[in-house]
Amino acid sequence: MSPPVLIASPGRRLVFGGLLMWVMVAATVFTVTIPVIATFLIDDFGISRTELGSLGSVGALLAAVSSPFAGRLTDRIGGRNAALIVLTGATGAAVLFAVSPVFGAMFGGAVVAAISGAGGNPGTNKLIAAFLEPGRRGLITGLKQTGPQVGSFFAGLLAPWGATTFGWRSTMVVIGLLMALSIPLAMRVVPPDRPRRADRRPSDGPLPAGIWWVAVYGSLLGFGGSATFLLPLFVEESLGESPQVAGVAAALLGGVAIAGRLQWARIAERKASPAPTLAILAVTSVVAMAFMLTSIEAGTGWMWVGTVVLGLSSSSWTSVGAIAVIAIAGSKAAGRASGIVWLGFLAGLGLGPPLYGFTVDETSSYAPMWWIALGSFALAAAVAVTWMRTQRGTPRTG
């Protein structure tokens, strides 16, 4: 039996959603911060773009393989405990990054951030399924899924400035302090949801087919979308702009995706199946890649257009994915289903950066990177269309 709906008033729902958004910031903060201070890391440690990409790859792949375990653990310990683990892990990872004497030591922070951050989506999805009734989940799900983009927006604006003014290590310390200060707030705002002893064993039955469709789609969106890990370097090296302009590009991507995730979540909740919405997002992502390719010859203006379109497409898909997981799996299996979906998404997200970095190092061009991402988005569109043709409607439970 699902827990009772405890959050009914609009004010409490917004506060609740805001805290869940911050948990998602914590789960992804280093994924969005490392790229915008890439120039400082390359100069400080004397590393290549491929080596830099490997840092993002290790983090994403470790988070991917940790996601199924994190999902099952979340169903056992409750969403609030999972959220607290995310915030604590982000605090520790920031400290490890800040004190790393050599580039190899940075992987210690990446490991801590990845393992703890894997609980971000399962934990927040579990809490939404537990405390919000169907029909009132779209806005809050979209709000919490803006967390990575809120982090991207502020990282893009502030991290280059902080790294230039105080150093990138001090910037990491500030991030750690913000994460640590939010832990007691989370304990106060988020209701406890630890399952009763009789309900702690998660269901081991097969997950609905829709979860697997979303997982495959997410892996392709993640692989294509991971090209944005090198977006700031693309702006600097291919388009000849400054690190500050590159940071603004990252901030714009995050800012646009905030609005995109809010709106797409509300649209998806009103649909019988998320498949058509996912198809639209993938096709639009293909268009975004075309703009990025055009910018290489035609100038920075096309990059800005491509960034906006990308923010409204691939960077917004996770809010639709979260709505699909919550609706298809229901409250009891929301953690396990989230783990499977984010295994696919993060696997794609992790495989991309080193491959993209390698293509840039070997060809001295960013064009192959954007072409590969375009192909991945096209395959994702094909998956969504195929799903649409094999179903009459996804069952909606909750």
Side-chain angles (χ1 to χ4, degrees), residues 231 234 239 283-311 313 370-371 374:
L231 174 62
F234 167 71
L239 303 183
V283 170
T284 308
S285 299
V286 170
V287 174
M289 294 300 94
F291 284 127
M292 290 300 186
L293 286 163
T294 301
S295 73
I296 295 175
E297 298 295 335
T300 305
W302 290 96
M303 180 276 296
W304 295 118
V305 177
T307 299
V308 170
V309 176
L310 197 61
S313 54
W370 297 124
W371 276 113
L374 186 152

Side-chain angles (χ1 to χ4, degrees), residues 53-257:
S54 69
L55 183 65
S57 178
V58 166
L61 289 175
L62 187 55
V65 299
S66 300
S67 289
F69 170 77
R72 288 181 174 272
L73 180 64
T74 297
D75 284 334
R76 292 181 64 88
I77 68 174
R80 187 173 81 156
N81 286 335
L84 293 174
I85 290 173
V86 171
L87 295 172
T88 303
T91 302
V95 173
L96 291 174
F97 281 129
V99 302
S100 295
V102 295
F103 179 68
M106 295 282 285
F107 287 89
V111 168
V112 172
I115 293 176
S116 60
N121 266 295
T124 53
N125 286 345
K126 183 81 170 177
L127 288 167
I128 289 173
F131 296 121
L132 297 178
E133 60 187 351
R136 291 185 172 180
R137 294 170 175 171
L139 176 62
I140 300 304
T141 302
L143 178 61
K144 73 99 172 174
Q145 286 298 152
T146 65
Q149 309 316 123
V150 169
S152 178
F153 178 78
F154 284 106
L157 288 180
L158 300 178
W161 171 81
T164 300
T165 306
F166 305 107
W168 68 268
R169 296 179 188 274
S170 297
T171 301
M172 289 293 180
V173 170
V174 172
I175 292 173
L177 287 173
L178 292 173
M179 297 300 131
L181 290 173
S182 65
I183 293 173
L185 179 63
M187 296 179 69
R188 181 175 181 84
V189 170
V190 180
D193 68 322
R194 187 176 177 86
R196 295 172 299 175
R197 183 177 299 275
D199 295 332
R200 286 179 193 170
R201 179 163 40 179
S203 172
D204 290 324
L207 290 169
I211 295 299
W212 300 100
W213 281 105
V214 177
V216 172
Y217 174 94
S219 68
L220 293 167
L221 258 287
F223 182 77
S226 67
T228 60
F229 186 86
L230 296 180
L231 174 62
L233 281 177
F234 167 71
V235 174
E236 291 182 54
E237 297 179 340
S238 185
L239 303 183
E241 303 292 345
S242 68
Q244 287 70 31
V245 173
V248 171
L252 177 64
L253 180 66
V256 172

